[in-house]
Amino acid sequence: MQTLWLYLYFPQLQLDLLPQLQADAATPDLSKPVVLLHPQQLQVQQANPAAQALGIRPGQSLAHACALCAALQVLPWQSELEQQLLELLAQDCYQLCADLALAPPAALWLRLDPMLQLYGGLDSFLQQLEQLLQQKPGLQFQYGGAVTAEAARLLCLTQPGQIAPTQAAQRLALSQCPVTLLDLTPALLQQLQRLGIGQLGALLQLPATELSRRFGAELQHYLQQIQGQLPPLLHYYQPPEQFCARLELWYQIEHHPQLLAPLRHLLLQLQHYLQRRARRCYQLQLELSLRDQPPLCLKLHSPQAEALAERWLALWQLKLEALKLPAPVLAMQLQASQYCKEEMHSADLYQGKQGQYSPLQLVGLLQAKLGTAQVRRPTEHAAFLPELAGSSQALQQAGEQTITPQLPAPEMAALQLHQPAALYATAVSRAAVKTPAQSTHSAPTAAPLAPGLSATLSATPHRPAFLFAAPVPLQQQVQLMPGLERIQSHWWQGQAQARDYLTAQSADGRWLWLYRTEQQQWFVHGVFA
Amino acid sequence: MQLSELKQQGHVWHLNQAPRPEQALCPTGFAELDVLLGGGWPCQQVIELRTAFGIGEFRLLLPHLQQQSSRNKLQVYINAPAQLHAPFLRSQGLPLWQQLEVRAKEQDALWAAEQCLKSGSCSTVLLWQQSLNIARLKRLQLAAAEGQAELFLLRPSEPSQLSLPVGLSLALSPAPQGLQVRVLKRRGGWPGAQQLVNFSQRWPRLVQPALSPQKEQLTAPAALAI
């Protein structure tokens, strides 16, 4: 089966995308002549239309370009940035065509023949491609198509827009192609030119054995690649598994509100990335490269997985408010982790007005501003000691189940069945033993249980609404109420705890939950508010 | 004709924009308190409770919280003086997943309360806060109306404190059989009325035992602890 390759070339990639890259005041005025200069070779790499109108062409030296225009704005050409931009474009084009290879610095190879049936022909595919690329305003591109990848490249450079779908058409279209465009070593090119071979057509007419004898196997292989007798050596593009984007700033940022504009740019990229995959993510990591300081790493977690840049930006705004930058920021890098599938939530239409945030979004908002540990939820555990049975836990780990209705865990349900019976049996028997007459201690003892109370006891445990994080030593006069509950625990671990819990009212009317240890020490453990 | 034009002319409208019959009062769960308040807690408003911590103020709100839990929205406790105890909440039928404890500095606590109220995902917010100015209170009131939530503002009862323009303000004080509730301010009613809310039915172990001659008053001395 005959292949069809498209070579997509972006001659001014970095310069065209400059306004989108830095949407702020620091962007140079692109209506004036601007060039990107190769920092090592000091040659003009890319020139905008205003500069080209003055005769400045890529490949000219800086002195030449400055001589043509005195008010020329010169910016550095960054090869890493060019690579990043190309990968972004590859991500876009991956939506249209799966067989894709990068051709650095500024081009892509697309293998079209498996896709044509899907799109219903070459024309409709090209139309889709153009629509996609036009979403990036100002981006210039040109393409050429041929049976082999290398031929497509040559065709794109010599006759942009030309498609040669058959071997014969390709041969004809390339016959005029100058040999200087071929991807060969300079020595070989010079050798060809000295022999008077200026065009590809003339080269291909020569017998293959003669060529390989004279120029070596390298040229022979290359020509075979052009003609499709050897497959192209390309690494197909794979979209990244994890989102990671980096942005070099044009100027140093010293105050956090200024960070939001570049951050927004990165978040929009993230949104784009996530929406394409129908995903959301729970956690973002922002790394700020600082001047003369190690980079600053910030993590932001949203219990409600988000995809939208606006939502993330609102959370980052809260997070960054608390931030003091130790040194100016030079660059920022955004990474996303913990992805989940996008699920469509539908609200109840008849419930009336809906609120601004879902519960999980609210938790995310509070956590971003106050810190993750400050937003907690009371949780219950299968334990006998009150401080272990009920504690509050930070809503740290992602997951819908933390804040949506759930069934009790099986072991919890089992404990609920057995615990009260076991505990209150102890409580009643202890109370029966400790009659006031027996008591010889200086500390008070509880009155025995009133008969009516035992029924109330067995129904629900008598627990306070609030528990102190650490028990407070009792330091005031209190009046004890009847009813005692003994909790003995951890004897199996060698740290036996035996506490007699009592209810008491203080002189100012507060209802306290006290306990007495075996050493006759009294503590306030909770408050029946 | 475009859909947007139809919408502008009012031929097409969203169901969720429909006016909603406002429920002005929610029953408190205590008959005597309902009488005092003219029917119940005012809905979607800021309610101030001047109270000490631990005299039964939470038990006064409990029937309301239990009733609101059927709305499947969050109940947020901001800067509570101690940790909420989960076994108690569960035994009272409050689903734990709805309960959220927030700790914040004083200014941030007001911000958090406002966010919770206007999020529309909370049914009730309890805020323990010392000081509050009128402008912040107005914002909280607007947020409560927007998000259809009640805010209970629990403040210590100090006489010198600024009186706030709230719809309902109550002073709570301990009583042997429950809680003495005095109306400091009520929209559409007179202040000064008092009522004893009797807890002896609901909380037999948390009221003073009924008067009996052989009642034994036991007192604990100040214990020395480590």
Side-chain angles (χ1 to χ4, degrees), chain A residues 422-498:
Chain A
L423 275 181
Y424 291 107
T426 342
V428 172
S429 61
R430 290 296 302 174
V433 170
K434 278 217 162 223
T435 53
Q438 270 184 317
S439 147
T440 49
H441 304 296
S442 57
T445 50
L449 275 179
L453 285 181
S454 50
T456 338
L457 273 182
S458 53
T460 51
H462 181 63
R463 289 285 177 273
F466 293 93
L467 212 62
F468 289 117
V472 185
L474 176 67
Q475 284 173 343
Q476 65 194 107
Q477 284 278 329
V478 294
Q479 182 195 351
L480 294 181
M481 293 293 134
L484 176 143
E485 179 184 349
R486 162 153 288 202
I487 294 179
Q488 269 182 311
S489 184
H490 286 85
W491 43 266
W492 58 87
Q493 282 183 339
Q495 297 163 331
Q497 297 259 8

Side-chain angles (χ1 to χ4, degrees), chain A residues 221-522:
Chain A
H221 286 160
Y222 181 69
L223 291 180
Q224 281 175 345
Q225 275 182 19
I226 292 182
Q227 291 170 308
Q229 289 146 2
L230 278 181
L233 297 171
L234 296 175
H235 287 291
Y236 285 109
Y237 170 79
Q238 288 290 325
E241 289 276 316
Q242 301 278 326
F243 176 83
C244 178
R246 189 177 170 81
L247 188 61
E248 301 284 338
L249 302 170
W250 287 98
Y251 55 96
Q252 302 178 358
I253 288 181
E254 292 177 22
H255 303 290
H256 67 79
Q258 295 167 314
L259 283 173
L260 292 176
L263 185 58
R264 192 188 146 81
H265 176 74
L266 289 178
L267 289 171
L268 280 172
Q269 278 184 27
L270 173 72
Q271 176 181 338
H272 210 52
Y273 174 93
L274 292 172
Q275 281 179 341
R276 267 212 203 114
R277 287 160 178 76
R279 289 280 186 100
R280 292 161 179 239
C281 78
Y282 284 112
Q283 196 167 320
L284 291 187
Q285 186 176 332
L286 183 68
E287 193 180 290
L288 300 173
S289 306
L290 303 177
R291 193 179 67 196
D292 305 332
Q293 296 253 357
L296 188 67
C297 203
L298 300 171
K299 266 189 186 168
L300 184 63
H301 179 87
S302 164
Q304 164 106 354
E306 299 282 5
L308 292 181
E310 288 306 318
R311 297 271 196 196
W312 276 115
L313 196 66
L315 294 179
W316 275 112
Q317 201 165 355
L318 293 171
K319 177 95 180 168
L320 292 175
E321 266 175 21
L323 178 73
K324 277 226 163 90
L325 289 173
V329 180
L330 302 175
M332 56 205 322
Q333 179 173 328
L334 188 72
Q335 270 181 303
S337 49
Q338 298 186 13
Y339 302 91
C340 73
K341 278 196 194 130
E342 177 137 38
E343 281 168 15
M344 289 301 163
H345 296 283
S346 52
D348 185 356
L349 184 62
Y350 292 92
Q351 216 175 6
K353 207 179 88 179
Q354 300 293 316
Q356 275 187 320
Y357 306 113
S358 74
L360 284 171
Q361 281 170 335
L362 176 68
V363 169
L365 198 70
L366 295 174
Q367 282 181 339
K369 169 103 174 176
L370 307 173
T372 314
Q374 305 296 317
V375 182
R376 307 172 81 84
R377 193 178 64 121
T379 48
E380 210 176 4
H381 304 281
F384 291 103
L385 290 181
E387 65 266 33
L388 301 177
S391 60
S392 65
Q393 276 188 342
L395 285 174
Q396 208 143 21
Q397 281 315 305
E400 297 273 323
Q401 72 280 4
T402 54
I403 203 156
T404 44
Q406 53 186 305
L407 295 169
E411 93 269 23
M412 197 64 234
L415 186 86
Q416 279 162 19
L417 281 180
H418 301 301
Q419 186 189 6
L423 275 181
Y424 291 107
T426 342
V428 172
S429 61
R430 290 296 302 174
V433 170
K434 278 217 162 223
T435 53
Q438 270 184 317
S439 147
T440 49
H441 304 296
S442 57
T445 50
L449 275 179
L453 285 181
S454 50
T456 338
L457 273 182
S458 53
T460 51
H462 181 63
R463 289 285 177 273
F466 293 93
L467 212 62
F468 289 117
V472 185
L474 176 67
Q475 284 173 343
Q476 65 194 107
Q477 284 278 329
V478 294
Q479 182 195 351
L480 294 181
M481 293 293 134
L484 176 143
E485 179 184 349
R486 162 153 288 202
I487 294 179
Q488 269 182 311
S489 184
H490 286 85
W491 43 266
W492 58 87
Q493 282 183 339
Q495 297 163 331
Q497 297 259 8
R499 302 175 183 170
D500 289 334
Y501 275 93
L502 287 149
T503 310
Q505 195 180 24
S506 70
D508 53 0
R510 293 154 46 102
W511 288 91
L512 307 174
W513 201 42
L514 313 176
Y515 72 83
R516 181 184 55 189
T517 63
E518 283 181 316
Q519 292 80 36
Q520 303 299 320
Q521 289 164 336
W522 288 77

Side-chain angles (χ1 to χ4, degrees), chain B residues 112-125:
Chain B
E114 194 180 323
Q115 297 302 319
C116 292
L117 286 173
K118 74 179 179 190
S119 71
S121 51
C122 299
S123 59
T124 314
V125 179

